[in-house]
Every structure is written in C-alpha cells, then in structure tokens.
Amino acid sequence: MADVDFSALFQALPVACSILSREWEYVTVNCAYERASGRSREQLIGRYVFHVFPGGPEGDSARRLRASLERVVNEGEADRMGLQRYDVEEPAGSGVFQERHWTIVNTPLFGPDGRVAWVVNQVEDVTGFVQRLREADAGAEPVRQALAAGTKAVEAELFARARELQEVNQRLRRAQARERHAAEAARRALEIQQQAIADTSHDLRGPVSGLRTRLEVALSDPEADSRLVLDAALHDAERIGDIVADLLELARLEARTPLDTRSVDLARLVRAEVDRRDEAHRTPGVRVTVDAEPGVIVDVSPVRLTRLLNNLLDNAERHARSRIEVTVARERGEAVLNVTDDGPGIPADERESVFRRFFRRADARRFDPEGSGLGLPIARQIAQAHDGSLHIADHSPGTRFTLRLPLQQSPDGF
C-alpha cells in the first residue's frame, strides 16, 4: 500500500475541520475551515477557540459548545450538536456579530496513553439555507402568503429535530455509561471469581495431595500401620471438608441469602459464648475478659453472629501474648463490639488484606499452619449481611477488631 500523506489529505477535505487541544486551543485547521470561519490559520492556531469565536453577546451558544467539548473529553465519545445558531464577529474585534447557523460534530482523538488528547471539531455552515427559507417567507405578497406557513413549519421542524437529536444523544450517552458500568462490574466479578478459583485450588491442593500420598503409601507398603494412615487421611479429609464448608458459607453470604433474624442482647450472647469457650478449651496463658454494657439489642441471626464472634476470638487467641479483651457498648446509635488482643499487631498496610480470601500473614501461618485464611473474610461478610461493618481499628499494642451493627429500633421508630 502506497504511503498516504495524511497532512495533505486533511487539508484537502471538503468538510471544515479543526483540531482542538484539551485546553480548547486550535492545534491545526484545514482549508475548508478557514473558508467557513472567515479566519486564516495564522489567526486561529494557538488561539483559544472562545476568544476567537465568543458566539455573540449572550454567550449561550458558546456555553453549549463548551459543554459538548467537555462531554467528548470526559466520555470519549463523539457528540453531535445538530443545528446551532453561533454568531461570528465580523470583522474580528469589531464587536459586531453576524448571524450564522451551523451543524457541529465533535469527535475525540486518543493519545498513546488511551486518554482523549484532542478533539476534532467538524462544522458545516447552513446559514444560507436558513436565510433562503426566510427570504421565501418575506417575498412578494402572493408568494409570501403561499409559502409563509410552510416556510415557518420547515424552520421550526429543523430546530425541533436538532433539539431532539441532542436529547437522543444524551440518552445514548447515559445508556453507554450504564453499559460501561455494567461491563466493568462484570469484569470485576469475573476477576474475583477467577482469583477465588485459583486460591481455592491452591489451598485444597495440599490436603488433597497429602491424602492421595498417604493412600498410595498404604497400598504399596503392606507393613504400613493402617490405623496411622487412616487417622492421617481422616485429618486431611476433615480439613478439606472445613475449607469447602467455609467456601459454601462465603458463597451464601455473598449471594445475600435472606437471614433468619431475631432480637438478641449482644452482651448476653458474648458472655455466653466466652463462657462456653472457657469450658471447652482455654488457650494456656491467655486470659479473656468481657466488659459488656447490658441491653444492647440488635436484630441478627444468632448462629451467624456467634460464628463471627468465634472467628474473631480464634484469630485473637492465635496472636495474643497474655490477654484478650471483649467489650460491648452503644455508640452513636450503633452497637459496637471490640475484640482486642495484646499480640504483635497488624501493620496498617495489611489491615484490609487480612479480609481477603486465603490471605495469611507469615505469623498466622507459623501459629496455625493449617488455617484456611477464610475466617476473617467470613466474619466481614456476616457483618455486611447485617448492614454492619467490620474493620481493624487503631490500637497499640496488639490488634483491635471493631464490629458495628445497627441497634434495634423501638416500635415507635426511635
């Protein structure tokens, strides 16, 4: 294919075109634009478009043009303005404006970084057409009477169609914006799903490989202790089951499955669960204290909230040196539950990471090698399912998890 001189092609275009920078200065114009605007390229290039063409004393046409150019830059889509009145100062600098009518199309030009770098401003002067309509309307009396109604109707129709075109363009832009948002949401959801599959495969690979190896050894070694092999295989199977159960729980929570809620005294639930854990198992050398304000009533699923609390306590016990503090209180119309340990703490830049699936800090892997990294993500999903929040608050030493839930409203709404 022969090389094309695009500069010469641009200059030879019969359509009047200029290229504007993002600061609305002329970068270049073609010959047709010089003729249509009545300005030479020396009078245009490097000049601010609204200084060269202010659009008349009222400035409304300039405002519409600026809005169109800004839409092109912000949305990266062409904008058709349709029929517009945009008066031109003749001669330049005289303060005298001639009535002019145009159809205008603004189109984005993208730079190497993918952002809109310039705007192509394409114009067509239709002043002569509008004037001929008016001349026909003002002609000899018999002709004028015959054409007046039709001429006015055509002119009105032109401007009406121009307004309709602008409205259609606006609706199309809104629809395109919605489509872009939907596509972006779908892309993010796909990325999350792909990452979840990759993480799940990675986390299940260990116990599945261990289970397979143990069984292969048992089959190949007739003198292997079958009970030890079966105990180890059962342990691997239980770990797989725990991971799958956690993943199913996350899926249900993320799907916003309706919760079976009832009124719960948060302080009573916390005290009962801490007492139960003390009876079932106590971490050596770690003391758990509870300071709970009575009568903090919330509408929750007791089963889910108990799981959230246990996940926080399990995490605290893995890291605490000597004590864990659990508090319940009212604060600005919310129920606030804090679980605080005196461990090494979590760096500020990792406080959100711990809520990602399968994320495990080095110390967590050391203290609990078989943990799944799903406990805290499940806890946050449970909080959000109850229209609450769970985050790591500033605290030193150690780590403080703060759960906030809406208080139950009284029957009168307060």
Side-chain angles (χ1 to χ4, degrees), residues 121-292:
N121 173 235
Q122 174 186 325
V123 300
E124 183 176 0
D125 187 353
V126 294
T127 307
F129 176 68
V130 173
Q131 287 176 345
R132 283 194 294 274
L133 289 176
R134 291 177 178 174
E135 288 169 359
D137 187 31
E141 186 62 22
V143 176
R144 191 194 67 78
Q145 291 178 351
L147 297 178
T151 301
K152 289 179 180 179
V154 169
E155 187 174 354
E157 183 73 9
L158 283 172
F159 282 97
R161 291 291 174 262
R163 286 194 297 270
E164 289 176 4
L165 178 61
Q166 288 181 311
E167 292 172 1
V168 170
N169 281 336
Q170 291 174 358
R171 288 197 294 271
L172 284 173
R173 283 192 294 271
R174 288 193 292 268
Q176 289 169 346
R178 288 194 296 270
E179 289 177 1
R180 284 195 297 269
H181 291 323
E184 179 63 20
R187 184 190 64 79
R188 287 197 300 268
L190 180 60
E191 287 180 352
I192 291 171
Q193 184 182 45
Q194 290 172 336
Q195 186 61 48
I197 291 171
D199 291 341
T200 303
S201 300
H202 178 271
D203 218 57
L204 286 174
R205 189 177 297 120
V208 169
S209 297
L211 178 60
R212 179 175 179 176
T213 300
R214 299 181 205 283
L215 294 176
E216 288 175 348
V217 168
L219 290 172
S220 62
D221 184 1
E223 296 183 2
D225 188 331
S226 60
R227 184 169 185 82
L228 288 177
V229 172
L230 290 175
D231 283 344
L234 177 60
H235 176 77
D236 288 336
E238 287 175 344
R239 176 161 164 70
I240 293 170
D242 290 341
I243 294 173
V244 171
D246 284 346
L247 288 170
L248 289 174
E249 176 70 359
L250 267 177
R252 283 191 291 267
L253 290 167
E254 290 172 349
R256 289 288 184 171
T257 303
L259 300 176
D260 183 13
T261 63
R262 60 183 177 86
S263 298
V264 171
D265 185 324
L266 187 56
R268 183 177 299 174
L269 181 146
V270 168
R271 289 187 183 280
E273 194 57 28
V274 170
D275 290 344
R276 183 196 66 78
R277 289 172 65 92
D278 281 346
E279 293 176 2
H281 67 281
R282 179 186 291 274
T283 303
V286 176
R287 180 169 173 264
V288 181
T289 63
V290 177
D291 180 9

